[in-house]
Amino acid sequence: MRSWSLWAFLPICFSLCTAIGLILVYFIARQYDTITSLGWQSSNNRRSPPYISIAGNQPPASCVFSQVMNMAAFMGFLIGFLRYLQLKPKVRKPWLNIACLITFSLASFGMTLVGNFQWSNDEDVHNAGTSLTFGLGTVFCWLQSIVTLRLNLRNEGRRLGIIRFVLSAAITLSMLLYFSLMLRGHHLHGARTQWCLVMFLLAFIGTLSVEFRHFNFDVVCMEHQEPPVTLSDRFSVVSENHPGTTMQTQDQPGYF
């Protein structure tokens, strides 16, 4: 049995660490009695509904929340970039792969806005980050589901594609239900739906480990002896003569 690449653990670590971090934020907020429980409706009107952003709204929970979201944003961008490199030599129409990279990069940027601009301090920026994270994160999931099914890496794409389509549908329905409940004022049910939405998103990213286990990503740094005269020549030399300066994937070719 072929051993797994260590890169396979990156999506798993992203999903587990982010989920554990957000749950920790929730329990800290509960410890300081700033939010209600997800389990029942509180009669104490001083407590806020247990939305993730509200749980991470006040210190000390806000400090942990910012750190969790910043780490998730960094790891998410890295995963999106590696996924782009993994698929780049295998696709004939690059626009879909580029769209995946752009959408998840912007979704990762949205995570930093959510984590660093608390809801009570700058509601507009915080909500913009939420829209980027949930909206473009959902688009990324649908695009990746299509790519998975069409590319069919190692003949695993069809089974994995079905799982990802189911998760994408669950994410979309959860997001629509979340906004609907929130706008109608059903905040406890809206908060529960938001937590489900986030967990579905994390589960989807975790499935990327299935394809990452077949690939190795290497970075090689080389000393350049004779620098080119012009900037355009410099980029030409890097791309043509020194492929080791970029990240490369190792696997058998496949195209769609």
Side-chain angles (χ1 to χ4, degrees):
M1 181 177 178
R2 183 180 176 182
S3 61
W4 281 28
S5 168
L6 292 178
W7 291 100
F9 297 99
L10 180 61
I12 297 175
C13 289
F14 167 83
S15 299
L16 288 178
C17 292
T18 305
I20 293 172
L22 292 178
I23 293 172
L24 178 62
V25 170
Y26 167 79
F27 280 110
I28 293 175
R30 287 287 299 141
Q31 181 71 26
Y32 282 82
D33 204 28
T34 59
I35 60 172
T36 61
S37 171
L38 283 168
W40 62 84
Q41 180 71 50
S42 174
S43 59
N44 190 343
N45 294 328
R46 294 184 299 104
R47 297 174 182 170
S48 301
Y51 291 107
I52 297 175
S53 296
I54 296 180
N57 193 43
Q58 299 294 334
S62 60
C63 304
V64 179
F65 182 62
S66 296
Q67 188 69 9
V68 169
M69 295 306 295
N70 287 329
M71 292 180 64
F74 171 74
M75 293 179 67
F77 175 77
L78 180 59
I79 290 171
F81 182 63
L82 292 178
R83 179 64 170 168
Y84 167 78
L85 292 177
Q86 182 186 40
L87 299 180
K88 184 178 178 181
K90 301 180 178 302
V91 296
R92 294 176 179 173
K93 297 179 180 179
W95 67 268
L96 195 59
N97 196 28
I98 295 174
C100 291
L101 175 63
I102 293 174
T103 53
F104 202 59
S105 296
L106 291 176
S108 298
F109 175 69
M111 295 181 202
T112 65
L113 297 181
V114 171
N116 296 313
F117 294 88
Q118 275 73 37
W119 180 79
S120 61
N121 295 330
D122 199 325
E123 183 178 353
D124 292 336
V125 176
H126 183 90
N127 289 338
T130 302
S131 299
L132 284 173
T133 302
F134 288 157
L136 293 181
T138 302
V139 173
F140 172 80
C141 292
W142 282 109
L143 292 176
Q144 282 296 323
S145 300
I146 295 172
V147 170
T148 302
L149 198 60
R150 294 182 61 182
L151 194 56
N152 194 25
L153 291 175
R154 297 296 184 92
N155 293 320
E156 297 173 338
R158 288 185 172 84
R159 287 176 295 178
L160 189 59
I162 293 174
I163 295 174
R164 287 180 178 167
F165 270 110
V166 171
L167 284 173
S168 297
I171 291 167
T172 303
L173 291 175
S174 297
M175 184 174 62
L176 295 176
L177 184 60
Y178 156 63
F179 284 114
S180 176
L181 291 170
M182 184 179 61
L183 292 175
R184 293 181 180 182
H186 303 300
H187 293 298
L188 180 59
H189 295 301
R192 291 169 176 168
T193 306
Q194 186 193 51
W195 279 92
C196 291
L197 166 61
V198 171
M199 295 306 159
F200 283 137
L201 279 167
L202 294 178
F204 187 98
I205 302 303
T207 64
L208 293 175
S209 63
V210 174
E211 287 121 332
F212 275 26
R213 80 184 196 274
H214 298 307
F215 287 76
N216 290 315
F217 301 91
D218 299 318
V219 180
V220 179
C221 180
M222 294 183 177
E223 181 180 0
H224 188 65
Q225 300 294 337
E226 298 179 358
V229 177
T230 65
L231 184 62
S232 61
D233 290 337
R234 184 185 299 254
F235 286 126
S236 176
V237 169
V238 169
S239 62
E240 296 176 6
N241 297 337
H242 296 285
T245 57
T246 61
M247 302 189 76
Q248 298 178 328
T249 61
Q250 300 173 0
D251 192 54
Q252 295 177 354
Y255 301 96
F256 76 84

